[in-house]
């Protein structure tokens, strides 16, 4: 080695305390936690804390207006299992959460494929058709409430006018009718979300792939399955899981349209928890227990979603 | 303007040692090139100097100041990045003025310095453009201009030419050298390109696996590489290396490998004394193998070898020869007429031979 | 499609389905609008076709402003929406920046936690959260919503911004710091201007989600004058079984217009944010 001899630095004074503190604060891990602290403070206070408080409350008979309740163990959970309304609620939630999804997915996919074509006013239409997803659900549900009105429903009017039915239809009058009506309104609200998400995926499909497949003689349907579907599969799966979770934990639409009626036959978890815990008797413990019955299902769905998102990243 | 000293600097990322006990001194006004293969620690060494990485141990001096724990903004340096890192939302003028504004330099002074730098670099016309409206070469100039206006003590450059096309790179290389000589600012320049290193630096620091291999002038680096790594890294095509046995007799030392026997020039003999009877690694640069078509008899500095392949490059012809242990590349005349299979006489410039210890890989001579 | 541009097949396979979708998806809005403009006499006459408007009136809108608390609800909604959006954005920019930029132990774990927080629905928490709100003494105050909405806004916005910050080359910041900027200055003057589209997406999302929220508003601010538009409309304008459809629909229209306007102006930001949410989680 022919390095020139280096002037060695005299061993310096230890850093002053103030400079050491500054160095420590400006190091990346410390700065990272510092930056995240306001957000986490809010999440801890208003998400984690209530979550654990909810578990505690569900084990008591606390009611609205009284500061605390008695510890009752798992009684609320046990009572719920014996409650016919709750069992119906579970069934309704599954119907509402899972049956609507294939419709939303299929309609959304179809709409996305249509919007992926070139035509005039495409951007305007794309923007307009997302409206059901954008506007406050409670307010758009009011429009549906009127569309389902036993007397004023324009659907009834049209069907009567065409001579299909004799009298007005009670869209929300019976359990079956009401659930179908709820599902239709939910599909109406959710389809645009699927459409726009899938459309974004479609636009990522390389055009050359289509041309190559077309040259090889694949027709439109074959091309869809061979070229398009593999590319958008990730988006479709993730969107579907999101939609299931959100629908499963819905509240507004059912609250506005039926409030769980007629005769408590169309409740889902959210509305039943509200009725038990806040609205009716104000049995907070019972309401919290209803909510927490959702947790295992949500956790399972979230785990699947998380695993899928992870696998997509790599 | 100032000198820069790395004093036993080590940088560790978790378990990986990126820079290992680096000690080197850059003189005031010097153009020092840090060169080495990718992942050798040269960029990390530069980033430590910039303050973008906190050193694990050791100290760094700029001028008379220990800057080891000083944030980048207070080190009074300027850096040109490989991708130029021009602020996309600012005009060229604002890009160049940004650092001065942060330092609260008066407006007129900023204006004067920016215009002056723009004139030096010939980018006066571009001052109102945004970076995305510039070509690669123009962006490079702006990045340079941004460093110049700051009038820092040290320029740091991290492969600033590697994003340019070959022709522009050669041209810019020349301009950069002239600029540095003119401004006289201490410059530390990182590159993986040994041609850039050889042409630009007053001195070159070759690094490998975090360790400084040799710090020397381009000439010394080429003629007296300190070890096998430096010998093979510097020079293109690379130095031919093959094992030979050291034999003494008749008052001479000979290096023998298969059919090939070479006589060691008297000046180098003493250094080989310890290796008699053992194997060493012999290094011959391609230009030190002189290919002759003639049929002379073999002497102490000639060997006869068959031709494997001819690569005419225009200004020179690379002749691939079947050597005693694999291919030897010789640099031949531009219009040499040879065919694969021909056996040629090759004269070795034995005064330019290099030998290396096979264990330590350090140069013997 | 590569071929098949013949007009008849285009009509059959493109325009007809598109028209059906348009009718299905936009009819409820059409209905909302018509009813809000329809005189009561016409509304209750089941003989005439309800789909057309033969005469129109603005008295439902006037009723809304003169005889109900609607203006107050609108004010409440605006205060809560702006407050929650501002707070969430501030927290999310910092958190997204930390997650997207800094190398630190547990970074991945924190990212996952944020993602999971995004999946926790209000229906799971609203009962215990109502107790927390009471305990903190903010029940029936703006803070009740301004502080609770961020629980679903921060995870989403942080996730979105994290992805955005990662697209901005690190060298830009490093260069700024060498140029003389502190980390905060580099963040503010270099990173933020470049992340503006992402910040805008996050802002629009937070705005619409806050404006539209129903459950927390119903439970934490659902009494007296503190109602938001959705809660006030649903709870106060529906009295017993007497539906005042005209004012109801007028309120629905007015309550939807702000989000619709914001959305129409920034539709591309909205869509890119939405798909970022769907694709990246």
């Amino acid at each position: 080695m022919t390095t020139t001899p280096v002037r060695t630095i005299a061993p310096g004074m230890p850093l002053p305390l103030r400079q050491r503190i500054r160095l420590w604060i400006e190091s990346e891990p410390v700065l990272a936690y510092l930056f995240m602290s306001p957000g986490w403070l809010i999440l801890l206070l208003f998400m984690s804390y209530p979550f654990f408080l909810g578990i505690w409350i569900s084990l008591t008979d606390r009611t609205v207006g009284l500061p605390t309740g008695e510890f009752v163990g798992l009684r609320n959970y046990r009572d719920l299992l014996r409650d016919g309304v709750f069992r119906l609620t579970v069934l309704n939630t599954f119907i509402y959460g899972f049956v609507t999804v294939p419709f939303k997915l299929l309609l959304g996919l179809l709409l996305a494929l249509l919007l992926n074509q070139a035509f005039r006013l495409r951007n305007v239409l794309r923007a307009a058709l997302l409206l059901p997803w954008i506007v406050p659900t409670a307010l758009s549900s009011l429009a549906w409430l009127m569309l389902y009105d036993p007397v004023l429903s324009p659907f009834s009017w049209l069907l009567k006018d065409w001579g299909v039915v004799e009298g007005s239809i009670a869209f929300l009058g019976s359990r079956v009718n009401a659930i179908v009506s709820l599902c239709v309104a939910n599909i109406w609200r959710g389809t645009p979300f699927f459409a726009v998400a899938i459309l974004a995926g479609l636009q990522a499909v390389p055009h050359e792939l289509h041309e190559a497949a077309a040259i090889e003689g694949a027709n439109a349907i074959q091309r869809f399955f061979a070229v398009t579907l593999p590319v958008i599969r990730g988006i479709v799966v993730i969107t579907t899981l999101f939609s299931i979770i959100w629908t499963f934990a819905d509240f507004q639409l059912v609250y506005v349209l039926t409030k769980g009626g007629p005769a408590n036959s169309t409740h889902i978890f959210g509305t039943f928890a509200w009725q038990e815990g806040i609205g009716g008797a104000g049995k907070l413990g019972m309401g919290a227990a209803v909510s927490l019955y959702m947790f295992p299902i949500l956790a399972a769905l979230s785990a699947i979603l998380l695993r899928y998102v992870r696998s997509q990243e790599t | 303007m100032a000198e820069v000293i790395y004093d036993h600097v080590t940088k560790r990322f978790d378990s990986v040692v990126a820079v290992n006990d680096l000690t080197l001194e850059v003189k005031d006004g010097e153009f020092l090139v840090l060169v080495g293969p990718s992942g050798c620690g040269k960029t990390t060494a530069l980033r430590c100097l910039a303050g973008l990485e906190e050193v694990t141990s050791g100290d760094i001096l700029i001028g008379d100041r220990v800057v080891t724990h000083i944030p980048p903004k207070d080190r009074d340096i300027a850096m040109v990045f490989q991708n130029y890192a021009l602020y996309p939302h600012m005009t060229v003028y604002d890009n160049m003025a940004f650092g001065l504004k942060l330092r609260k330099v008066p407006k007129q002074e900023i204006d004067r310095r920016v215009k002056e730098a723009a004139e030096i670099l010939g980018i006066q016309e571009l001052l109102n453009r945004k970076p995305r409206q510039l070509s690669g070469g123009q962006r490079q100039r702006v990045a340079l201009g941004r460093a110049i206006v700051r009038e820092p003590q040290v320029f740091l450059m991290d492969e600033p030419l590697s994003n340019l096309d070959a022709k522009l790179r050669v041209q810019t290389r020349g301009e950069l050298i002239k600029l540095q000589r003119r401004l006289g600012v201490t410059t530390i320049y990182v590159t993986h390109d040994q041609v850039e290193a050889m042409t630009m630096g007053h001195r070159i620091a070759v690094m490998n696996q975090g360790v400084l291999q040799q710090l020397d002038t381009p000439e010394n680096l080429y003629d007296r590489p300190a070890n096998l790594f430096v010998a093979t890294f510097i020079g293109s095509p690379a130095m031919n290396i093959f094992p030979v046995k050291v034999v003494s007799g008749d008052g001479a030392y000979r290096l023998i490998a298969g059919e090939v026997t070479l006589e060691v020039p008297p000046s180098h003999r003493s250094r080989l004394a310890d290796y008699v009877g053992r194997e060493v690694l012999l290094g011959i640069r391609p230009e030190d193998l002189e290919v002759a078509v003639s049929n002379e008899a073999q002497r102490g500095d000639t060997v006869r070898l068959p031709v494997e392949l001819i690569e005419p490059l225009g200004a020179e012809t690379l002749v691939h020869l079947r050597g005693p242990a694999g291919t030897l590349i010789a640099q031949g005349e531009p219009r040499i007429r040879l065919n694969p299979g021909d056996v040629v006489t090759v004269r070795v410039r034995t005064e330019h031979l290099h030998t290396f210890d096979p264990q330590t890989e350090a140069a013997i001579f | 499609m590569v071929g098949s541009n013949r007009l008849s097949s285009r009509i059959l396979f493109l325009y007809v389905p598109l028209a059906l979708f348009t009718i299905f998806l936009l009819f409820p809005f059409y209905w909302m609008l018509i009813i809000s403009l329809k005189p009561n006499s016409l509304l209750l006459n089941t003989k005439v076709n309800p789909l057309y408007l033969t005469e129109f009136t603005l008295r439902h809108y006037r009723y809304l402003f003169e005889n109900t608390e609607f203006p107050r609800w609108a004010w409440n909604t605006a205060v809560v929406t702006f407050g929650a959006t501002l707070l969430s954005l501030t927290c999310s920019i910092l958190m997204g920046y930390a997650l997207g930029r800094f190398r630190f132990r547990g970074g991945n774990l924190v990212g996952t936690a944020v993602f999971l927080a995004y999946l926790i629905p209000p229906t799971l928490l609203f009962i215990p959260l109502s107790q927390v709100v009471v305990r903190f003494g903010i029940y029936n105050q703006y803070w009740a919503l301004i502080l609770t909405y961020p629980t679903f806004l921060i995870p989403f916005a942080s996730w979105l911004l994290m992805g955005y910050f990662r697209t901005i080359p690190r060298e830009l910041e490093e260069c700024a710091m060498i140029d003389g900027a502190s980390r905060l200055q580099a963040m503010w003057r270099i990173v933020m201007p470049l992340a503006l589209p992402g910040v805008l997406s996050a802002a629009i999302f937070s705005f619409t989600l806050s404006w539209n929220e129903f459950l927390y508003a119903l439970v934490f601010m659902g009494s007296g004058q503190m109602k938001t538009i959705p809660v006030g409309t649903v709870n106060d304008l529906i009295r017993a079984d007497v539906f005042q459809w005209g004012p109801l629909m007028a309120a629905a229209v007015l309550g939807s217009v702000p989000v619709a306007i914001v959305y129409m102006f920034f539709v591309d930001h909205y869509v890119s944010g939405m798909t970022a949410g769907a694709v990246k989680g």
Side-chain angles (χ1 to χ4, degrees), chain A residues 21-57:
Chain A
I21 291 174
R22 209 212 58 221
L23 267 177
W24 181 76
I25 286 178
E26 284 189 6
S27 68
E28 291 207 345
V30 177
L31 215 51
Y33 283 101
L34 219 56
F35 274 27
M36 292 190 301
S37 54
W40 280 114
L41 184 71
I42 289 180
L43 292 181
L44 286 176
L45 282 181
F46 297 101
M47 197 163 229
S48 307
Y49 172 44
F51 179 75
F52 292 106
L53 185 67
I55 294 174
W56 166 248
I57 290 176

Short mmCIF file of all heavy atoms in Angstrom, two decimals, chain A residues 21-57:
data_model
loop_
_atom_site.label_atom_id
_atom_site.label_comp_id
_atom_site.label_asym_id
_atom_site.label_seq_id
_atom_site.Cartn_x
_atom_site.Cartn_y
_atom_site.Cartn_z
N ILE A 21 -28.59 14.54 22.23
CA ILE A 21 -30.06 14.42 22.19
C ILE A 21 -30.57 14.70 20.80
O ILE A 21 -31.41 13.97 20.27
CB ILE A 21 -30.69 15.39 23.22
CG1 ILE A 21 -30.38 14.92 24.63
CG2 ILE A 21 -32.20 15.48 23.00
CD1 ILE A 21 -30.83 15.88 25.71
N ARG A 22 -30.02 15.75 20.18
CA ARG A 22 -30.48 16.09 18.83
C ARG A 22 -30.19 14.94 17.86
O ARG A 22 -31.01 14.57 17.04
CB ARG A 22 -29.78 17.36 18.35
CG ARG A 22 -30.61 18.15 17.37
CD ARG A 22 -29.70 18.87 16.39
NE ARG A 22 -28.86 17.90 15.70
CZ ARG A 22 -27.58 18.08 15.43
NH1 ARG A 22 -26.98 19.17 15.80
NH2 ARG A 22 -26.90 17.16 14.78
N LEU A 23 -28.98 14.37 17.99
CA LEU A 23 -28.62 13.25 17.12
C LEU A 23 -29.59 12.09 17.30
O LEU A 23 -30.00 11.45 16.35
CB LEU A 23 -27.22 12.76 17.48
CG LEU A 23 -26.06 13.34 16.69
CD1 LEU A 23 -24.76 12.81 17.23
CD2 LEU A 23 -26.22 12.97 15.22
N TRP A 24 -29.94 11.85 18.57
CA TRP A 24 -30.81 10.73 18.88
C TRP A 24 -32.19 10.96 18.27
O TRP A 24 -32.78 10.09 17.64
CB TRP A 24 -30.89 10.56 20.39
CG TRP A 24 -31.73 9.40 20.82
CD1 TRP A 24 -31.39 8.08 20.78
CD2 TRP A 24 -33.06 9.47 21.33
NE1 TRP A 24 -32.41 7.32 21.24
CE2 TRP A 24 -33.47 8.13 21.59
CE3 TRP A 24 -33.95 10.51 21.60
CZ2 TRP A 24 -34.71 7.82 22.10
CZ3 TRP A 24 -35.20 10.18 22.12
CH2 TRP A 24 -35.56 8.87 22.36
N ILE A 25 -32.70 12.18 18.42
CA ILE A 25 -34.04 12.48 17.91
C ILE A 25 -34.07 12.42 16.39
O ILE A 25 -35.04 11.99 15.79
CB ILE A 25 -34.49 13.88 18.41
CG1 ILE A 25 -34.85 13.79 19.88
CG2 ILE A 25 -35.69 14.38 17.62
CD1 ILE A 25 -35.25 15.09 20.50
N GLU A 26 -32.97 12.83 15.76
CA GLU A 26 -32.99 12.86 14.31
C GLU A 26 -32.62 11.54 13.66
O GLU A 26 -32.59 11.43 12.44
CB GLU A 26 -32.07 13.98 13.81
CG GLU A 26 -32.71 15.34 13.98
CD GLU A 26 -31.94 16.45 13.30
OE1 GLU A 26 -30.97 16.15 12.61
OE2 GLU A 26 -32.32 17.62 13.49
N SER A 27 -32.33 10.52 14.47
CA SER A 27 -32.07 9.22 13.86
C SER A 27 -33.40 8.66 13.35
O SER A 27 -34.46 8.93 13.90
CB SER A 27 -31.44 8.28 14.87
OG SER A 27 -32.38 7.96 15.87
N GLU A 28 -33.33 7.89 12.28
CA GLU A 28 -34.55 7.49 11.59
C GLU A 28 -35.57 6.75 12.45
O GLU A 28 -36.75 7.09 12.40
CB GLU A 28 -34.21 6.67 10.34
CG GLU A 28 -33.55 7.52 9.28
CD GLU A 28 -33.77 7.01 7.87
OE1 GLU A 28 -34.20 5.85 7.73
OE2 GLU A 28 -33.53 7.76 6.93
N PRO A 29 -35.15 5.76 13.25
CA PRO A 29 -36.19 5.05 14.03
C PRO A 29 -36.91 5.99 14.98
O PRO A 29 -38.14 5.93 15.11
CB PRO A 29 -35.39 3.99 14.80
CG PRO A 29 -34.12 3.85 14.05
CD PRO A 29 -33.83 5.18 13.43
N VAL A 30 -36.18 6.86 15.64
CA VAL A 30 -36.81 7.76 16.61
C VAL A 30 -37.75 8.72 15.89
O VAL A 30 -38.89 8.93 16.29
CB VAL A 30 -35.74 8.54 17.39
CG1 VAL A 30 -36.38 9.53 18.34
CG2 VAL A 30 -34.84 7.58 18.14
N LEU A 31 -37.26 9.28 14.79
CA LEU A 31 -38.08 10.21 14.03
C LEU A 31 -39.34 9.50 13.51
O LEU A 31 -40.43 10.08 13.50
CB LEU A 31 -37.26 10.73 12.84
CG LEU A 31 -37.48 12.18 12.43
CD1 LEU A 31 -37.37 13.10 13.61
CD2 LEU A 31 -36.49 12.57 11.35
N ALA A 32 -39.18 8.25 13.10
CA ALA A 32 -40.32 7.49 12.59
C ALA A 32 -41.40 7.39 13.65
O ALA A 32 -42.57 7.68 13.39
CB ALA A 32 -39.88 6.11 12.14
N TYR A 33 -41.00 7.00 14.86
CA TYR A 33 -42.01 6.85 15.90
C TYR A 33 -42.59 8.20 16.31
O TYR A 33 -43.77 8.32 16.62
CB TYR A 33 -41.44 6.09 17.10
CG TYR A 33 -41.36 4.61 16.82
CD1 TYR A 33 -40.17 4.00 16.47
CD2 TYR A 33 -42.53 3.84 16.83
CE1 TYR A 33 -40.12 2.65 16.16
CE2 TYR A 33 -42.48 2.49 16.54
CZ TYR A 33 -41.28 1.90 16.20
OH TYR A 33 -41.25 0.57 15.88
N LEU A 34 -41.75 9.21 16.26
CA LEU A 34 -42.22 10.56 16.57
C LEU A 34 -43.30 10.98 15.56
O LEU A 34 -44.35 11.52 15.92
CB LEU A 34 -41.03 11.52 16.49
CG LEU A 34 -40.95 12.63 17.52
CD1 LEU A 34 -40.97 12.07 18.92
CD2 LEU A 34 -39.69 13.45 17.28
N PHE A 35 -43.04 10.73 14.30
CA PHE A 35 -43.98 11.10 13.24
C PHE A 35 -45.28 10.32 13.37
O PHE A 35 -46.35 10.82 13.03
CB PHE A 35 -43.36 10.82 11.87
CG PHE A 35 -42.52 11.94 11.35
CD1 PHE A 35 -41.89 12.82 12.21
CD2 PHE A 35 -42.36 12.13 9.97
CE1 PHE A 35 -41.11 13.85 11.73
CE2 PHE A 35 -41.58 13.17 9.48
CZ PHE A 35 -40.95 14.02 10.36
N MET A 36 -45.17 9.08 13.80
CA MET A 36 -46.38 8.26 13.85
C MET A 36 -47.19 8.50 15.11
O MET A 36 -48.33 8.07 15.19
CB MET A 36 -46.00 6.78 13.76
CG MET A 36 -45.44 6.39 12.41
SD MET A 36 -45.27 4.62 12.24
CE MET A 36 -44.18 4.26 13.57
N SER A 37 -46.60 9.18 16.08
CA SER A 37 -47.26 9.24 17.39
C SER A 37 -48.63 9.93 17.38
O SER A 37 -49.55 9.42 18.01
CB SER A 37 -46.33 9.85 18.43
OG SER A 37 -45.86 11.09 17.98
N PRO A 38 -48.82 11.06 16.67
CA PRO A 38 -50.17 11.65 16.73
C PRO A 38 -51.23 10.69 16.20
O PRO A 38 -52.29 10.51 16.82
CB PRO A 38 -50.08 12.89 15.83
CG PRO A 38 -48.66 13.09 15.50
CD PRO A 38 -47.91 11.85 15.81
N GLY A 39 -50.93 10.04 15.08
CA GLY A 39 -51.88 9.10 14.49
C GLY A 39 -52.17 7.96 15.43
O GLY A 39 -53.32 7.60 15.68
N TRP A 40 -51.08 7.40 16.00
CA TRP A 40 -51.29 6.26 16.90
C TRP A 40 -52.00 6.66 18.17
O TRP A 40 -52.75 5.86 18.73
CB TRP A 40 -49.96 5.57 17.20
CG TRP A 40 -49.57 4.67 16.08
CD1 TRP A 40 -48.51 4.81 15.24
CD2 TRP A 40 -50.28 3.52 15.63
NE1 TRP A 40 -48.51 3.82 14.30
CE2 TRP A 40 -49.58 3.01 14.50
CE3 TRP A 40 -51.44 2.85 16.03
CZ2 TRP A 40 -50.00 1.88 13.80
CZ3 TRP A 40 -51.85 1.73 15.33
CH2 TRP A 40 -51.14 1.26 14.24
N LEU A 41 -51.76 7.87 18.62
CA LEU A 41 -52.45 8.33 19.83
C LEU A 41 -53.96 8.26 19.59
O LEU A 41 -54.72 7.72 20.41
CB LEU A 41 -52.02 9.75 20.16
CG LEU A 41 -52.60 10.30 21.47
CD1 LEU A 41 -51.96 9.58 22.66
CD2 LEU A 41 -52.39 11.80 21.58
N ILE A 42 -54.40 8.78 18.45
CA ILE A 42 -55.83 8.76 18.14
C ILE A 42 -56.33 7.33 17.99
O ILE A 42 -57.37 6.95 18.53
CB ILE A 42 -56.11 9.58 16.87
CG1 ILE A 42 -55.93 11.07 17.17
CG2 ILE A 42 -57.51 9.31 16.34
CD1 ILE A 42 -56.16 11.98 16.01
N LEU A 43 -55.55 6.51 17.27
CA LEU A 43 -56.00 5.13 17.07
C LEU A 43 -56.05 4.36 18.39
O LEU A 43 -56.95 3.55 18.61
CB LEU A 43 -55.09 4.42 16.07
CG LEU A 43 -55.18 4.93 14.63
CD1 LEU A 43 -54.26 4.14 13.72
CD2 LEU A 43 -56.61 4.86 14.11
N LEU A 44 -55.10 4.63 19.26
CA LEU A 44 -55.09 3.91 20.54
C LEU A 44 -56.26 4.35 21.41
O LEU A 44 -56.95 3.53 21.99
CB LEU A 44 -53.77 4.15 21.28
CG LEU A 44 -52.55 3.42 20.72
CD1 LEU A 44 -51.29 3.82 21.49
CD2 LEU A 44 -52.75 1.91 20.77
N LEU A 45 -56.49 5.67 21.47
CA LEU A 45 -57.55 6.19 22.33
C LEU A 45 -58.94 5.82 21.81
O LEU A 45 -59.83 5.49 22.59
CB LEU A 45 -57.45 7.71 22.44
CG LEU A 45 -56.40 8.26 23.39
CD1 LEU A 45 -56.45 9.78 23.39
CD2 LEU A 45 -56.63 7.72 24.80
N PHE A 46 -59.13 5.89 20.50
CA PHE A 46 -60.49 5.75 19.97
C PHE A 46 -60.71 4.47 19.18
O PHE A 46 -61.73 4.30 18.54
CB PHE A 46 -60.85 6.98 19.13
CG PHE A 46 -60.87 8.24 19.92
CD1 PHE A 46 -59.82 9.13 19.89
CD2 PHE A 46 -61.95 8.52 20.76
CE1 PHE A 46 -59.83 10.29 20.65
CE2 PHE A 46 -61.98 9.68 21.52
CZ PHE A 46 -60.92 10.56 21.47
N MET A 47 -59.71 3.58 19.17
CA MET A 47 -59.90 2.32 18.49
C MET A 47 -59.51 1.15 19.40
O MET A 47 -60.33 0.30 19.71
CB MET A 47 -59.08 2.30 17.20
CG MET A 47 -59.52 1.24 16.23
SD MET A 47 -58.86 1.59 14.59
CE MET A 47 -60.31 1.41 13.63
N SER A 48 -58.26 1.15 19.86
CA SER A 48 -57.82 0.04 20.70
C SER A 48 -58.54 0.05 22.05
O SER A 48 -59.07 -0.96 22.49
CB SER A 48 -56.31 0.11 20.94
OG SER A 48 -55.64 0.21 19.74
N TYR A 49 -58.53 1.23 22.66
CA TYR A 49 -59.16 1.32 23.98
C TYR A 49 -60.62 0.89 23.93
O TYR A 49 -61.04 0.01 24.70
CB TYR A 49 -58.95 2.74 24.53
CG TYR A 49 -59.69 3.07 25.79
CD1 TYR A 49 -59.75 2.16 26.85
CD2 TYR A 49 -60.34 4.29 25.95
CE1 TYR A 49 -60.44 2.46 28.01
CE2 TYR A 49 -61.03 4.60 27.10
CZ TYR A 49 -61.08 3.67 28.13
OH TYR A 49 -61.76 3.98 29.27
N PRO A 50 -61.44 1.47 23.03
CA PRO A 50 -62.83 1.01 22.98
C PRO A 50 -62.96 -0.47 22.64
O PRO A 50 -63.91 -1.12 23.09
CB PRO A 50 -63.48 1.88 21.90
CG PRO A 50 -62.40 2.63 21.25
CD PRO A 50 -61.22 2.63 22.14
N PHE A 51 -62.01 -0.99 21.86
CA PHE A 51 -62.12 -2.42 21.53
C PHE A 51 -62.06 -3.26 22.80
O PHE A 51 -62.91 -4.12 23.03
CB PHE A 51 -61.01 -2.82 20.56
CG PHE A 51 -61.05 -4.28 20.19
CD1 PHE A 51 -62.00 -4.75 19.30
CD2 PHE A 51 -60.15 -5.17 20.76
CE1 PHE A 51 -62.05 -6.09 18.98
CE2 PHE A 51 -60.21 -6.52 20.44
CZ PHE A 51 -61.15 -6.98 19.54
N PHE A 52 -61.05 -2.97 23.64
CA PHE A 52 -60.94 -3.75 24.86
C PHE A 52 -62.04 -3.40 25.86
O PHE A 52 -62.56 -4.27 26.55
CB PHE A 52 -59.54 -3.59 25.46
CG PHE A 52 -58.49 -4.20 24.60
CD1 PHE A 52 -57.63 -3.43 23.84
CD2 PHE A 52 -58.39 -5.59 24.50
CE1 PHE A 52 -56.68 -4.01 23.01
CE2 PHE A 52 -57.45 -6.19 23.68
CZ PHE A 52 -56.59 -5.39 22.93
N LEU A 53 -62.40 -2.12 25.90
CA LEU A 53 -63.51 -1.72 26.75
C LEU A 53 -64.77 -2.47 26.33
O LEU A 53 -65.57 -2.90 27.17
CB LEU A 53 -63.72 -0.21 26.64
CG LEU A 53 -64.78 0.38 27.56
CD1 LEU A 53 -64.34 0.27 29.01
CD2 LEU A 53 -65.07 1.84 27.21
N GLY A 54 -64.93 -2.65 25.00
CA GLY A 54 -66.10 -3.35 24.48
C GLY A 54 -66.15 -4.78 24.98
O GLY A 54 -67.22 -5.29 25.34
N ILE A 55 -65.00 -5.42 25.02
CA ILE A 55 -64.97 -6.79 25.52
C ILE A 55 -65.43 -6.81 26.97
O ILE A 55 -66.23 -7.63 27.39
CB ILE A 55 -63.55 -7.39 25.38
CG1 ILE A 55 -63.21 -7.52 23.89
CG2 ILE A 55 -63.46 -8.74 26.07
CD1 ILE A 55 -61.79 -7.96 23.61
N TRP A 56 -64.92 -5.84 27.75
CA TRP A 56 -65.31 -5.77 29.15
C TRP A 56 -66.81 -5.50 29.28
O TRP A 56 -67.52 -6.20 30.02
CB TRP A 56 -64.49 -4.70 29.87
CG TRP A 56 -65.04 -4.33 31.21
CD1 TRP A 56 -65.60 -3.14 31.56
CD2 TRP A 56 -65.12 -5.17 32.36
NE1 TRP A 56 -66.02 -3.18 32.86
CE2 TRP A 56 -65.74 -4.42 33.39
CE3 TRP A 56 -64.74 -6.48 32.64
CZ2 TRP A 56 -65.98 -4.93 34.65
CZ3 TRP A 56 -64.96 -7.00 33.91
CH2 TRP A 56 -65.57 -6.24 34.90
N ILE A 57 -67.29 -4.51 28.54
CA ILE A 57 -68.71 -4.16 28.67
C ILE A 57 -69.60 -5.35 28.30
O ILE A 57 -70.63 -5.59 28.93
CB ILE A 57 -69.04 -2.94 27.76
CG1 ILE A 57 -68.39 -1.68 28.31
CG2 ILE A 57 -70.55 -2.73 27.66
CD1 ILE A 57 -68.58 -0.46 27.42
#
